[in-house]
Amino acid sequence: MDQYDHKKLEEKWQKIWEEKQLYKTDDNSSNPKFYALVEFPYPSGDGLHVGHPRPYIGMDIIARKKRLEGFNVLYPIGWDAFGLPTENYAIKTGISPAEVTKNNTDNFRRQIKLLGTSFDWSREINTTDPKYYKWTQWIFLQLYKHGLGYKAKAIINWCPKDKTGLANEEVINGKCERCGTAVEKREKEQWILAITKYAERLDKDLDTVDYSPQIKLQQKNWIGRSEGAEIKFNIEGEEASIIVFTSRPETIYGATYLVLSPEHFFVEEFLKRETIENKDKVNSYLQKSKATTEIERTSLSKEKTGVELKGIKAINPATKERIPVFVADYVLPHYGTGAIMAVPAHDERDGQFAKKYTLPTKEVIDGSKLINSENFSGHSIQEVKEELVDLVGGKMKTTYKLRDWIFSRQRYWGEPIPIIHCAKCGTVPVPEKDLPVELPEVENYHPTDSGESPLAVISEWVNITCPKCGGEAKRETDTMPNWAGSSWYFLRYIDPENTNALADPEKLKKWMPVDWYNGGMEHTTLHLLYSRFWNKFLFDIGVSPVNEPYQKRTSHGFILAPDGEKMSKSRGNVINPDDVVNTFGADTFRLYEMFMGPFDQAVKWSTDGILGPRRFVEKIWKQFEKVNTKTTDKETKSLLEKTIKKVGEDIESMHFNTAVSTLMILGNQFDKVSEINQLDFERFLIILAPFCPHLSEELWEKCGHSTSIFAEKWPAHNPQLITEEESNIVIQINGKMRGLVKMSADSEQEAVFLAAKGLPEMAKWLGKTEPKKIIYVPGRLLNIVI
RNA sequence: GCCCGAGUGGCGGAACUGGUAUACGCGCACGACUUAAAAUCGUGUCUCGCAAGGGAUGUGGGUUCGAUUCCCACCUCGGGCACCA
């Protein structure tokens, strides 16, 4: 047998697969469909590092197994290519982002192909392709037309020196990443998408999908549904009133003051009035809070700060008491109504604040009963909650932490928002026939001095005639955030060339929903939620055939550099898969990435660790010499059946690391025997094939087959050969293992006890004393308590 | 700070629904082969103890006949916190 030559072998099979279009998905197949999806990468200039392939390989194993099980599998890939790093690179070098993207995607494609993944490359998509973003823009227009896209003022990070808006990521310790100037907050008109209108469904419909529990929980917490009440507090001697939201309206008798967020519109109102006695102090507090981040503001450990609006008092509608009104930044503007009634006795933050400013504290709850609450005292919370809210003229209300989605970016490298501003007609959507609104060439990719996107200075692009009245008009120059293109890409894979619709409705019906979507833990809230939102909207307008886009969602962990740090070019600790594949081969690489640790947890790359999988691959290669027509011995045969069962189950549950170790145990057993029956070996090759497709194809061919191993059927295991007549029953004394008896698994307790007594090593334990208690777990364990 | 995870040999990790802790792999040690080395193969490898036996799954408690697994408190690390992708 010739030497195992991974290069020769992997090139050979990758070429054959491509020529035969083995992984091209047939829309017309009558087999049951299976849509496997991984998050498409952002093609950075650094190229692929060994962390990228982990999900691709994991899903590839699942996709290959599903094909072997007779499914018609769709397993596509593409590029999520709009975004900051490419734009920043363009600003630095002057090379156009489109060109940079082209180079990067070419490199990524080459690298991914080296891994022997079974992507259907004929469906490759790119979010920066006008043919693609035409439909991203089209979706935006539908959102706009349905009242889900609106313009409003929102706060952005602003660098006063660079005169440009900054992403949070570009703000380092409150300073501009580029020039170190202190970053300010600025209000700016922005396009916003009303995702909160979908909050209830996004929350409730989680019950209908198969996401891992921690993913569901994190989504739920992010959406943050909270049932409470809105209650109006009148301002003494004025028409004005403040509406607060509280999740605990039953504590209203304990509300001893009100707090407004610094951004609350009433704060500005009140400051205009002569009644406020401490305007300077309030104003300086407002200034200070502008410089504080939200994380600092909401921190429980941070000392609460605030300032009273001196000169006004609110009236507690339950007690009719006059209570002070404060401005404090621990109250956030976008949650509830941006104003709260403070109940220091029963809320930790209110309590801290009240202590600091020596405000009265009044207990109104004792266990589950109300106290000090006039007629309501003595009643349980549940009983009187709604009645109480009624009495004070409030109304029950469900609120969400989820906020609307700020959709504008003042950047170049994103989808132009397809809107036209006409002096006469106002905001006019670009007519659908004029889509896509293509990104024009610009000389300078840097935002303008006024903070507009670089598109704003291209007058021949900006100035346009109004499609409604034909008068002078201007294009919207904001672009979309990177999230836009990735919020619907799973639909486009289904019909990537379609020019009449984002995808053919029949095809969508055939393929949706995605059966299994794997992605990074870091996308659990934003991307996952945004894409669920877009799909729900598209479902509502009859475009997507399903209410939920992803039937199942799992996540993978990072691969860290050997030093335990995140891999990055700047740290200089990047491991390039090209080198690893070159030295060890794609099959070994795949095996190692799956073997190195639990798929959903972060794990460090080890350059030595890959030797184990490589030795395994060579071992299997050599074992082909033992293959003949003789019968495989009983022990090996039984282990093979167990392995088939376990590997199948482990793939389904993404326990790839234990699947590989199970394959290794069988490989070790094959080493011990001198003969392996060919049919048995072939069944082994099929379950190995998803992990090591090249090696398996080659050995399959050597077994005399002329068709691909992936045209075979996933083998069924024979359960009868797995069950052993005898099993080891553990004998414990006081919960510690002291012996072992080999007996039939359905033995009775008495029989096992007798057998245990017969063991020589038991004499010293069981000597004369009578056991106090005996616990028997049938077929597994006998615990004797003495 | 808040939300979601994780912590087991020298290292990566395994242990099904509470039932033999350390599977599999790396490394290391010794041996075989070799003039030698590499590769390969074999044996051993949590720890204390001559042994009987004891101790170990981040720390401290608890529940249980029995806890890596369940509960409480704490420590450390990773992810997210809405304009990174």
Side-chain angles (χ1 to χ4, degrees):
Chain A
M1 186 133 178
D2 39 332
Q3 198 71 43
Y4 172 68
D5 179 347
H6 64 259
K7 247 179 241 173
K8 203 173 101 192
L9 201 141
E10 289 174 0
E11 268 171 32
K12 167 184 162 184
W13 286 104
Q14 285 177 18
K15 206 169 141 232
I16 293 174
W17 294 334
E18 199 160 337
E19 277 167 10
K20 294 196 174 160
Q21 303 200 328
L22 196 65
Y23 308 123
K24 195 170 169 187
T25 307
D26 177 8
D27 282 324
N28 300 316
S29 160
S30 59
N31 290 345
K33 68 99 180 178
F34 187 87
Y35 187 174
L37 184 66
V38 287
E39 285 167 349
F40 58 166
Y42 178 81
S44 76
D46 299 347
L48 225 56
H49 62 68
V50 292
H52 285 103
R54 199 181 194 192
Y56 310 157
I57 296 167
M59 266 328 258
D60 189 58
I61 289 167
I62 289 165
R64 286 177 185 274
K65 174 167 182 269
K66 292 289 173 187
R67 286 194 197 94
L68 288 163
E69 288 175 329
F71 285 90
N72 182 25
V73 173
L74 172 58
Y75 186 38
I77 184 96
W79 318 108
D80 185 17
F82 275 130
L84 266 189
T86 304
E87 176 164 322
N88 286 338
Y89 185 78
I91 291 172
K92 221 162 42 188
T93 62
I95 304 169
S96 90
E99 198 181 328
V100 174
T101 298
K102 167 85 174 62
N103 294 339
N104 291 351
T105 51
D106 284 349
N107 188 37
F108 265 60
R109 188 184 306 104
R110 177 191 63 76
Q111 290 189 289
I112 292 174
K113 284 191 171 182
L114 281 178
L115 307 171
T117 47
S118 61
F119 288 120
D120 178 356
W121 287 98
S122 72
R123 292 172 187 255
E124 180 182 336
I125 56 173
N126 186 325
T127 55
T128 66
D129 180 348
K131 294 201 289 291
Y132 180 92
Y133 69 68
K134 169 182 178 176
W135 297 104
T136 312
Q137 292 173 334
W138 182 85
I139 295 168
F140 176 85
L141 288 180
Q142 309 313 309
L143 285 159
Y144 174 73
K145 287 172 187 169
H146 286 82
L148 294 167
Y150 63 96
K151 258 198 146 171
K153 285 204 162 165
I155 293 161
I156 63 162
N157 299 310
W158 178 259
C159 173
K161 180 154 173 273
D162 291 351
K163 295 192 175 127
T164 167
L166 297 175
N168 287 344
E169 197 192 44
E170 298 172 294
V171 181
I172 312 292
N173 298 326
K175 306 228 160 79
C176 171
E177 183 184 41
R178 277 186 280 248
C179 66
T181 310
V183 170
E184 294 174 357
K185 294 204 171 132
R186 239 195 205 200
E187 278 209 322
K188 205 169 183 331
E189 281 271 311
Q190 308 267 28
W191 282 99
I192 295 173
L193 297 185
I195 188 173
T196 51
K197 290 205 174 145
Y198 278 74
E200 190 181 344
R201 283 168 66 190
L202 287 167
D203 179 77
K204 205 179 78 211
D205 293 348
L206 284 170
D207 297 338
T208 68
V209 290
D210 176 18
Y211 294 2
S212 71
Q214 70 266 33
I215 295 178
K216 268 195 196 181
L217 200 54
Q218 226 175 323
Q219 285 246 328
K220 283 222 178 238
N221 291 343
W222 184 263
I223 297 166
R225 183 190 158 93
S226 161
E227 284 175 24
E230 283 187 359
I231 298 169
K232 195 161 90 178
F233 282 70
N234 289 320
I235 302 297
E236 188 189 35
E238 291 196 34
E239 286 292 299
S241 60
I242 294 167
I243 296 173
V244 305
F245 172 78
T246 173
S247 61
R248 302 197 59 191
E250 66 276 8
T251 61
I252 190 160
Y253 282 92
T256 53
Y257 62 101
L258 293 189
V259 188
L260 303 180
S261 70
E263 296 84 353
H264 196 281
F265 68 100
F266 254 141
V267 176
E268 209 178 322
E269 281 287 303
F270 287 137
L271 284 175
K272 288 181 194 151
R273 295 176 199 190
E274 291 309 315
T275 43
I276 304 294
E277 297 153 15
N278 57 344
K279 286 187 186 175
D280 290 352
K281 216 173 154 195
V282 175
N283 271 318
S284 76
Y285 183 74
L286 296 184
Q287 280 308 315
K288 223 166 47 197
S289 79
K290 266 193 188 169
T292 320
T293 68
E294 210 159 282
I295 290 175
E296 289 166 349
R297 283 172 64 163
T298 52
S299 171
L300 260 176
S301 63
K302 184 206 146 208
E303 198 177 333
K304 302 284 163 293
T305 60
V307 54
E308 187 180 350
L309 287 170
K310 288 209 166 130
I312 58 163
K313 293 278 188 237
I315 305 294
N316 181 321
T319 63
K320 311 292 183 208
E321 281 165 356
R322 300 167 72 239
I323 58 173
V325 180
F326 280 79
V327 177
D329 64 7
Y330 77 94
V331 175
L332 298 175
H334 35 62
Y335 182 63
T337 60
I340 62 154
M341 62 177 211
V343 184
H346 303 289
D347 180 280
E348 197 179 336
R349 283 163 308 176
D350 296 346
Q352 286 178 14
F353 191 82
K355 202 170 166 197
K356 178 164 173 188
Y357 295 97
T358 51
L359 293 155
T361 295
K362 182 178 162 195
E363 292 211 22
V364 290
I365 305 275
D366 184 17
S368 63
K369 296 250 189 288
L370 294 179
I371 53 170
N372 299 327
S373 301
E374 297 178 6
N375 293 338
F376 297 95
S377 298
H379 289 87
S380 83
I381 296 169
Q382 287 315 316
E383 251 168 53
V384 298
K385 194 176 196 169
E386 290 190 23
E387 200 183 322
L388 223 168
V389 170
D390 240 26
L391 178 87
V392 299
K395 58 171 192 224
M396 296 303 288
K397 169 124 196 207
T398 303
T399 342
Y400 298 88
K401 281 212 182 80
L402 183 67
R403 317 209 287 253
D404 274 348
W405 175 7
I406 298 174
F407 200 67
S408 280
R409 301 292 183 271
Q410 290 73 45
R411 298 279 181 169
Y412 173 74
W413 194 229
E415 302 88 342
I417 292 179
I419 291 286
I420 291 164
H421 301 287
C422 170
K424 226 171 100 194
C425 314
T427 304
V428 181
V430 171
E432 287 177 20
K433 67 172 172 52
D434 294 340
L435 295 182
V437 177
E438 287 201 38
L439 268 177
E441 295 279 326
V442 297
E443 305 227 325
N444 180 0
Y445 303 99
H446 206 275
T448 68
D449 284 356
S450 60
E452 306 294 318
S453 99
L455 300 176
V457 297
I458 313 170
S459 51
E460 64 272 27
W461 184 82
V462 172
N463 296 315
I464 187 173
T465 54
C466 172
K468 234 177 177 172
C469 68
E472 281 183 20
K474 281 184 191 298
R475 283 191 191 278
E476 171 64 64
T477 59
D478 282 357
T479 53
M480 300 187 196
N482 169 272
W483 308 104
S486 60
S487 289
W488 70 281
Y489 74 116
F490 47 91
L491 297 171
R492 188 63 176 174
Y493 282 137
I494 289 169
D495 194 10
E497 304 293 335
N498 200 319
T499 52
N500 302 316
L502 63 80
D504 175 66
E506 284 307 309
K507 289 184 182 170
L508 287 172
K509 224 161 145 185
K510 179 187 169 84
W511 285 107
M512 287 300 287
V514 172
D515 293 277
W516 193 333
Y517 187 23
N518 185 79
M521 217 38 184
E522 70 277 19
H523 293 293
T524 302
T525 43
L526 296 181
H527 160 67
L528 201 59
L529 206 64
Y530 290 150
S531 58
R532 288 181 62 220
F533 163 48
W534 274 33
N535 179 79
K536 278 183 183 303
F537 167 70
L538 292 171
F539 174 67
D540 290 349
I541 63 167
V543 174
S544 170
V546 291
N547 183 28
E548 281 290 338
Y550 318 120
Q551 173 49 34
K552 178 175 179 142
R553 166 81 184 192
T554 52
S555 45
H556 60 267
F558 280 111
I559 291 182
L560 304 169
D563 58 9
E565 299 281 329
K566 240 186 213 176
M567 279 187 210
S568 77
K569 215 175 185 177
S570 57
R571 285 200 180 92
N573 57 3
V574 174
I575 310 259
N576 187 332
D578 291 10
D579 302 335
V580 184
V581 169
N582 192 37
T583 313
F584 296 98
D587 282 338
T588 299
F589 180 80
R590 293 168 63 101
L591 215 46
Y592 177 58
E593 287 236 330
M594 293 300 103
F595 181 61
M596 55 197 302
F599 188 68
D600 60 356
Q601 276 166 45
V603 62
K604 275 187 275 187
W605 182 269
S606 154
T607 307
D608 290 330
I610 198 169
L611 288 171
R614 169 71 189 200
R615 285 174 191 147
F616 170 76
V617 164
E618 286 184 29
K619 184 185 281 186
I620 300 305
W621 177 257
K622 283 186 205 134
Q623 279 164 355
F624 177 72
E625 290 175 0
K626 295 182 182 177
V627 172
N628 57 34
T629 53
K630 291 184 189 157
T631 311
T632 311
D633 69 286
K634 203 174 150 200
E635 194 189 344
T636 308
K637 179 87 179 158
S638 168
L639 187 62
L640 172 66
E641 302 301 327
K642 274 189 210 159
T643 305
I644 292 171
K645 177 165 188 279
K646 173 115 171 91
V647 169
E649 290 167 354
D650 279 353
I651 291 175
E652 291 297 329
S653 56
M654 293 191 138
H655 292 136
F656 301 114
N657 54 335
T658 49
V660 175
S661 91
T662 305
L663 289 166
M664 285 173 166
I665 291 168
L666 183 63
N668 291 344
Q669 177 66 24
F670 281 164
D671 249 9
K672 288 189 199 139
V673 300
S674 48
E675 261 128 18
I676 307 165
N677 176 276
Q678 180 170 332
L679 291 176
D680 287 334
F681 191 70
E682 287 181 355
R683 289 167 78 219
F684 163 70
L685 285 181
I686 298 172
I687 63 166
L688 177 68
F691 296 87
C692 302
H694 313 86
L695 172 74
S696 307
E697 280 277 34
E698 182 69 18
L699 292 177
W700 183 254
E701 191 185 60
K702 281 186 187 293
C703 283
H705 299 280
S706 54
T707 51
S708 168
I709 191 169
F710 294 103
E712 296 304 307
K713 277 260 163 285
W714 184 262
H717 69 276
N718 182 344
Q720 281 166 355
L721 294 175
I722 292 180
T723 47
E724 286 151 28
E725 305 97 58
E726 303 236 291
S727 60
N728 285 325
I729 297 176
V730 171
I731 309 300
Q732 292 185 336
I733 304 291
N734 292 342
K736 272 189 187 291
M737 187 215 170
R738 297 296 180 194
L740 210 56
V741 290
K742 221 176 171 55
M743 290 182 76
S744 150
D746 49 19
S747 304
E748 297 289 327
Q749 172 175 325
E750 202 47 34
V752 179
F753 182 60
L754 279 175
K757 262 183 153 169
L759 292 173
E761 65 266 32
M762 283 297 140
K764 63 173 170 270
W765 304 105
L766 297 177
K768 282 173 194 124
T769 49
E770 272 302 299
K772 264 200 228 152
K773 195 173 173 183
I774 297 175
I775 290 108
Y776 181 53
V777 183
R780 305 191 68 162
L781 172 143
L782 186 83
N783 186 16
I784 304 166
V785 186
I786 53 172

